[in-house]
Amino acid sequence: MSSGLKFNETLHPGVEVSYSCEDILYQDRTEHQDLVLFTNPVFGKVLMLDGITQVTTADEFIYHEMMSHVPILAHGAARNVLIVGGGDCGLAEEVLKHASVEKLTQVEIDASVVEFSREHFGEFNTGVLDDPRFDLVIADGMKFVAETDRRFDVVIVDSTDPQGPGAILFSQDFYDSVHRCLTPGGVLVTQNGVPFLQRQELVTSIERFSKTYADAAAYIAAIPTYFGGHMALGWASDNAELRKTPVAVLEDRFKAAEFKTRYYTPEVHAAAFALPRFILDAVEEGRAKA
Ligand code: SAM
């Protein structure tokens, strides 16, 4: 029992988020990053990479449902999906709930994250690694998308923040290489930070999307452990109609998918693209700078 110990997240200078630690389940310096997994009385198991909260057993469902079901149900015929990052495999579990998905490729740079997630995050990744549709590639996501001859209907970037190994996944080269790998009408979704505290990150991603994709946008979800309000999820596609898929169509597709959710509904999906003014201003600024 490590009572009294605390882990502080200092992602945003001037603000610290402090988690009391009950037990340290795993701690290591991998080839790529500092990794700690501990238990907290409120959020359950908490994974931090380089001191930044990545995923918790208490609120992972919000993030994983919204990063997977929104692009897949908007697309309507996603057969091949790529996840870049996502080492805890919670996002993969949600993608694989779609029987229509024939193959899920996941490119994760750090094998250690997958290994300990297999052992410690069974609450939300059971069955992923044994699913015959799942293909795990241990590599840098930038190198993979630059070189692969595979094509994808949906690409989801479940990365760390734009520092350390994750920085390259916010670059123009990366977004352009993903564009090359998308099938016609495909869509890229990215974790793009909390605009109230990381506004420039969103502006820059939208600017870079806009240089290559016909439609650059974002949608939002509220994840309690991503401190600072709404989280922005970047959206880029050459099919501008995709993010306007009517609720009635989403309802039919969601009903046909036949799985339960705890956050996602077709109405929440559509509403997520209605951005608060200050976030829409950041998106419009990014579009204008392209
Ligand atoms: N939900 C978290 C968030 O929004 O910050 C992300 C969770 S997931 C643990 C982030 C993953 O991205 C980690 O497993 C990390 O190893 C991986 N990653 C970071 N840089 C990468 C890169 N260049 N290529 C592939 N995976 C990368």
Side-chain angles (χ1 to χ4, degrees):
M1 178 69 81
S2 319
S3 61
L5 184 63
K6 291 190 184 301
F7 283 98
N8 296 340
E9 178 183 274
T10 55
L11 176 60
H12 313 295
V15 176
E16 276 197 1
V17 179
S18 184
Y19 293 93
S20 60
C21 169
E22 292 169 319
D23 263 315
I24 295 177
L25 301 177
Y26 188 99
Q27 193 159 15
D28 187 15
R29 168 76 200 163
T30 75
E31 180 193 349
H32 298 283
Q33 48 210 342
D34 281 323
L35 184 162
V36 63
L37 180 70
F38 62 93
T39 56
N40 169 270
V42 176
F43 288 105
K45 294 177 189 173
V46 180
L47 167 65
M48 280 191 171
L49 292 176
D50 287 341
I52 299 170
T53 310
Q54 300 296 312
V55 64
T56 82
T57 44
D59 66 359
E60 58 78 26
F61 69 96
I62 303 172
Y63 173 83
H64 291 142
E65 289 182 15
M66 288 302 281
M67 281 199 89
S68 54
H69 306 323
V70 170
I72 291 174
L73 291 174
H75 185 283
R79 300 279 179 270
N80 290 289
V81 177
L82 169 65
I83 293 174
V84 177
D88 51 77
C89 296
L91 179 60
E93 188 200 48
E94 291 300 326
V95 170
L96 291 170
K97 285 179 181 173
H98 293 267
S100 56
V101 170
E102 293 169 0
K103 186 171 180 71
L104 170 57
T105 304
Q106 177 162 335
V107 182
E108 162 58 53
I109 199 167
D110 195 333
S112 304
V113 179
V114 179
E115 276 321 302
F116 86 73
S117 294
R118 182 202 302 256
E119 183 186 343
H120 292 289
F121 279 140
E123 295 91 335
F124 58 72
N125 66 19
T126 301
V128 168
L129 295 165
D130 301 326
D131 191 311
R133 295 174 293 163
F134 184 66
D135 178 20
L136 178 65
V137 175
I138 299 300
D140 180 339
M142 176 70 239
K143 187 170 184 325
F144 179 87
V145 295
E147 296 173 359
T148 185
D149 56 7
R150 297 185 193 180
R151 291 297 176 261
F152 305 98
D153 305 304
V154 172
V155 175
I156 310 171
V157 186
D158 183 16
S159 70
T160 43
D161 286 277
Q163 56 198 47
I168 192 71
L169 304 181
F170 292 79
S171 69
Q172 189 73 56
D173 277 354
F174 178 74
Y175 296 145
D176 293 355
S177 295
V178 168
H179 187 261
R180 181 187 70 86
C181 302
L182 278 173
T183 53
V187 57
L188 161 65
V189 164
T190 61
Q191 89 81 353
N192 243 108
V194 172
F196 188 76
L197 297 169
Q198 297 166 287
R199 183 180 190 279
Q200 192 52 47
E201 178 185 314
L202 180 61
V203 172
T204 304
S205 287
I206 297 293
E207 178 188 355
R208 291 173 178 170
F209 291 168
S210 301
K211 288 180 179 166
T212 308
Y213 299 78
D215 186 38
Y219 61 105
I220 54 176
I223 295 102
T225 50
Y226 296 165
F227 172 77
H230 290 108
M231 175 182 198
L233 300 156
W235 176 278
S237 175
D238 285 339
N239 177 352
E241 292 311 304
L242 220 49
R243 65 182 163 93
K244 299 167 189 163
T245 305
V247 173
V249 171
L250 296 171
E251 281 172 343
D252 289 347
R253 291 174 180 171
F254 184 47
K255 195 169 168 203
E258 291 184 333
F259 56 77
K260 296 257 181 280
T261 53
R262 295 170 60 200
Y263 185 95
Y264 179 92
T265 70
E267 294 78 7
V268 163
H269 173 146
F273 284 94
L275 302 179
R277 184 72 253 170
F278 80 97
I279 298 177
L280 184 55
D281 286 347
V283 169
E284 289 174 346
E285 182 182 322
R287 288 173 180 157
K289 290 175 80 171

